[in-house]
Amino acid sequence: MSAALAFVCLACAALLDVWANLLLKRSDGFRRPWPGVAALALVLCAFGLLGLSLRAVTLSTAYAVWGGLGIVGAALLSRRLEGLRFTPAAWAGLALILGSVLVLHSGK
């Protein structure tokens, strides 16, 4: 697997993870089972894509990219969908997460 395809798999894994987290919130603590079941299925797919990416990307980089994009994606979607307001410190935190992923990736 090429590195470019591995990073596409990582990006898709992060998107699935964000979508799973949004569905998990909609499940209301699994009181509504179908969103919860869908969230579990998406997490399994995300892990599958993460595993595929490990053929060409180191574990530290893959996990940082997956986690970082997941955190930033979930935060931004929560802001958009739920109207959360971020303080300047929260924006700085999101920027630090993305920056740390870039530094880790460049320091191979």
Side-chain angles (χ1 to χ4, degrees), residues 8 20 40 68 87 95:
V8 169
L40 290 173
T87 64

Side-chain angles (χ1 to χ4, degrees), residues 16-102:
L16 289 176
D17 187 49
V18 169
W19 192 12
N21 287 317
L22 292 173
L23 284 171
L24 193 58
K25 179 157 176 62
R26 293 196 186 271
S27 78
D28 193 29
F30 284 96
R31 285 181 231 181
R32 297 176 49 212
W34 292 117
V37 169
L40 290 173
L42 288 176
V43 166
L44 287 175
C45 292
F47 269 100
L49 288 170
L50 178 63
L52 284 175
S53 73
L54 292 176
R55 293 179 179 175
V57 179
T58 64
L59 176 62
S60 60
T61 300
Y63 194 69
V65 169
W66 181 58
L69 290 178
I71 292 167
V72 171
L76 292 176
L77 277 175
S78 292
R79 182 178 183 271
R80 175 80 174 151
L81 297 175
E82 298 175 13
L84 295 177
R85 294 175 95 39
F86 290 165
T87 64
W91 284 112
L94 292 175
L96 285 170
I97 290 169
L98 290 176
S100 65
V101 169
L102 291 174

